[in-house]
């Protein structure tokens, strides 16, 4: 009970991450010795940890670092620019290497789509040279369906960073319908699947 009680208490506290119960890892290992004598349990443990490694180590917000590296290089030669992060983690600002006062970073976090579009429209009024929008795949349709956001800007580049999975906006089942389309080649299906699990950077330049 001295182990299970604090484990339950820590688990019920909202907005906590698995790392907060790391202090309980060592006693759990000791208590699990009997369980690991069973071969089936060892196999299940290996499979579960492999899945967690793939998810937390590569897919979960995996495109954030790659996007930061790309923006770090691009922003060195940019002026009067805004960078917007939406429905994904915003990286620490030092990773972007921003040393100019005319480059602004905006974290739109998980605001609703209408407010997001309104915020983008307001950015246009600032007469910026470039606007970078960093978004997961699901938001691309939102921008495609809203033709009146940027009247004085044109998208000059779109970069995809794979792998990436944003729990703030998980893919829905309708986005995978193409997998059952017999008219599409395997190569095209793999490409579209890669796009779904990528973080996208859209570069809008003032006309």
């Amino acid at each position: 009970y001295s182990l299970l009680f604090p484990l339950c208490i820590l688990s019920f506290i909202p907005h906590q991450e698995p790392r907060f119960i790391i202090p309980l890892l060592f006693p759990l290992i000791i208590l699990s010795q009997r369980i690991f004598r069973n071969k089936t349990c060892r196999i299940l443990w290996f499979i579960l940890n492999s899945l967690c490694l793939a998810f937390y180590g590569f897919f979960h917000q995996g495109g954030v670092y790659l996007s930061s590296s790309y923006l770090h290089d691009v922003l060195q030669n940019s002026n009067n620019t805004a960078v917007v992060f939406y429905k994904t983690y915003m990286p620490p600002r030092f990773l972007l290497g921003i040393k100019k006062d005319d480059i602004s970073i905006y974290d739109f976090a998980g605001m609703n789509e209408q407010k997001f579009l309104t915020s983008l429209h307001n950015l246009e009024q600032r007469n910026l040279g470039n606007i970078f929008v960093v978004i997961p795949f699901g938001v691309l349709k939102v921008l495609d369906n809203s033709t009146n956001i940027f009247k004085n800007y044109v998208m000059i580049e779109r970069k995809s960073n794979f792998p990436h999975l944003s729990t703030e906006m998980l893919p829905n089942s309708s986005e995978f319908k193409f997998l059952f389309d017999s008219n599409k080649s395997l190569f095209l299906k793999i490409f579209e699947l890669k796009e779904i699990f990528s973080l996208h950077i859209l570069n809008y330049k003032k006309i």
Side-chain angles (χ1 to χ4, degrees):
Y1 292 105
S2 61
L3 175 64
L4 293 178
F5 181 74
L7 175 62
C8 292
I9 294 299
L10 290 172
S11 298
F12 277 109
I13 297 176
H15 306 298
Q16 298 294 331
E17 300 177 14
R19 61 190 175 93
F20 286 97
I21 59 174
I22 286 179
L24 298 175
L25 185 61
F26 183 69
L28 280 173
I29 291 175
I30 295 177
L31 292 176
S32 63
Q33 290 302 308
R34 294 181 181 178
I35 298 176
F36 277 90
R37 292 173 184 172
N38 186 298
K39 184 178 180 180
T40 303
C41 290
R42 290 199 300 270
I43 293 174
L44 290 175
W45 176 86
F46 177 79
I47 294 174
L48 178 62
N49 279 272
S50 297
L51 292 174
C52 288
L53 173 64
F55 179 73
Y56 288 108
F58 298 96
F59 277 92
H60 184 247
Q61 302 294 344
V64 173
Y65 175 74
L66 296 174
S67 299
S68 302
S69 300
Y70 168 79
L71 289 171
H72 177 277
D73 296 334
V74 172
L75 293 177
Q76 304 307 312
N77 300 315
S78 300
N79 296 292
N80 196 24
T81 298
V83 182
V84 173
F85 290 87
Y86 179 55
K87 294 284 187 179
T88 187
Y89 286 172
M90 190 182 78
R93 298 187 180 224
F94 75 88
L95 288 178
L96 301 177
I98 298 174
K99 300 179 181 179
K100 302 177 182 178
D101 296 332
D102 59 351
I103 296 179
S104 304
I105 308 296
Y106 297 90
D107 183 12
F108 288 171
M111 66 172 59
N112 63 62
E113 293 177 359
Q114 187 56 50
K115 189 175 180 181
F116 166 65
L117 296 175
T118 302
S119 299
L120 286 182
H121 179 70
N122 292 337
L123 280 179
E124 184 181 20
Q125 311 308 313
R126 292 184 50 194
N127 198 31
L128 298 163
N130 288 80
I131 300 176
F132 291 90
V133 183
V134 186
I135 51 176
F137 178 80
V139 186
L140 290 176
K141 292 182 179 179
V142 177
L143 294 180
D144 290 341
N145 295 332
S146 304
T147 56
N148 296 323
I149 303 176
F150 295 130
K151 295 181 180 180
N152 301 314
Y153 288 80
V154 61
M155 187 173 70
I156 61 173
E157 184 182 14
R158 171 180 159 185
K159 182 173 177 59
S160 302
N161 295 288
F162 173 86
H164 180 86
L165 182 62
S166 178
T167 52
E168 285 81 0
M169 193 167 194
L170 293 170
N172 57 60
S173 57
S174 63
E175 293 173 351
F176 296 99
K177 289 182 178 179
F178 68 89
L179 292 173
F180 306 98
D181 188 350
S182 58
N183 296 321
K184 290 189 176 182
S185 65
L186 178 61
F187 175 80
L188 187 57
K189 289 180 179 179
I190 293 175
F191 174 79
E192 292 189 23
L193 197 61
K194 182 181 177 182
E195 288 292 284
I196 291 176
F197 292 105
S198 294
L199 186 63
H200 302 270
I201 303 176
L202 310 182
N203 182 2
Y204 293 92
K205 186 176 181 64
K206 186 173 177 59
I207 300 174

